[in-house]
């Protein structure tokens, strides 16, 4: 059902996608810089769980509904865009993503919720999963839904691991950054602008 050459090609494509810059891996990096390896791991796990949600939704038809229904697509798009814009404005206003003050620390449950919602409320991953994974699925190799779930779960695991490692690696820069408040401010501004741009990008998505 899963030929080795197809699996290796799929894995390589997934790794490239994980390494591409975006709001979710930026969250993991921010958590790693601010609160260390555990926070980075939790944020990465949350993003992976969000991808898994989109995989399940695509497999069982929710993403198809979003593609087919103008109202469903519009609602998901607006909610996702507003959430990303809210994250961006919050970071720009409070410089809260990368901060070394004790009061700025967040609980693991709060970190997980932020990462999970960032992935789930963005319709781009859902539409991307629907377009990406089926390229590696063949009805000749078994049940399509099983292949979708297995490939999707692997993508989610690679996402969680990749984002967590990015954040953990970034945590090694924490001591250097603590002595450079201007760099921290610049990173927060850059992160905030990335969320805002991502939100605006989601808001301008068109149903295909």
């Amino acid at each position: 059902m899963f030929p080795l050459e197809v699996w290796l090609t799929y894995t390589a494509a997934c790794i490239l996608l994980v390494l591409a810059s975006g709001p979710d891996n930026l969250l993991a990096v921010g958590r790693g810089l601010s609160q260390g390896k555990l926070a980075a791991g939790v944020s990465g796990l949350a993003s992976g769980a969000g991808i898994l949600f989109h995989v399940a939704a695509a497999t069982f038809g929710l993403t198809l509904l979003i593609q087919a229904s103008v109202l469903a697509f519009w609602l998901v798009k607006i909610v996702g865009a507003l959430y990303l814009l809210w994250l961006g404005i919050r970071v720009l206003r409070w410089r809260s993503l990368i901060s070394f003050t004790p009061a700025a620390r967040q609980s693991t449950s709060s970190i997980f919720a932020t990462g999970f919602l960032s992935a789930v409320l963005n319709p781009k991953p859902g539409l991307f999963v629907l377009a990406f994974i089926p390229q590696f699925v063949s009805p000749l190799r078994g049940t399509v839904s099983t292949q979708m779930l297995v490939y999707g779960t692997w993508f989610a695991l690679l996402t969680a691991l990749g984002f967590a490692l990015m954040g953990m690696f970034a945590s090694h820069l924490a001591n250097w950054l603590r002595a450079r408040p201007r760099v921290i401010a610049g990173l927060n501004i850059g992160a905030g602008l990335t969320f805002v741009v991502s939100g605006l990008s989601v808001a301008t998505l068109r149903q295909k």
Side-chain angles (χ1 to χ4, degrees), residues 177-186:
L177 285 171
R178 282 191 180 95
R180 294 165 174 83
R182 290 185 179 180
V183 176
I184 295 173

Side-chain angles (χ1 to χ4, degrees), residues 69-144:
S69 168
V70 175
L71 178 60
F73 179 82
W74 184 84
L75 287 174
V76 172
K77 181 180 75 169
I78 294 303
V79 171
L82 288 176
Y83 184 72
L84 288 172
L85 286 170
W86 174 77
L87 281 178
I89 293 171
R90 182 182 179 189
V91 171
L92 287 172
R93 183 177 181 183
W94 301 109
R95 307 291 195 267
S96 56
L97 182 61
I98 301 171
S99 173
F100 298 106
T101 58
R105 299 181 69 85
Q106 297 185 20
S107 66
T108 54
S109 59
S110 175
I111 291 171
F112 184 89
T114 301
F116 182 73
L117 288 174
S118 176
V120 167
L121 293 178
N122 186 349
K124 277 187 171 181
L127 297 175
F128 176 79
V129 163
L130 189 62
F132 174 64
I133 295 180
Q135 307 303 318
F136 300 88
V137 171
S138 172
L140 300 177
R141 293 198 294 265
T143 308
V144 170

Side-chain angles (χ1 to χ4, degrees), residues 10-26 28-29 44 47-48 51 128 132 152 154-167:
Y10 175 76
T11 299
C14 288
I15 291 173
L16 290 174
L17 292 169
V18 169
L19 293 176
S21 179
D24 295 326
N25 51 22
L26 190 59
V29 169
S47 295
I51 293 295
F128 176 79
F132 174 64
W154 182 235
F155 181 37
L157 288 172
L158 289 174
T159 298
L161 179 61
F163 287 6
L165 288 176
M166 288 180 196

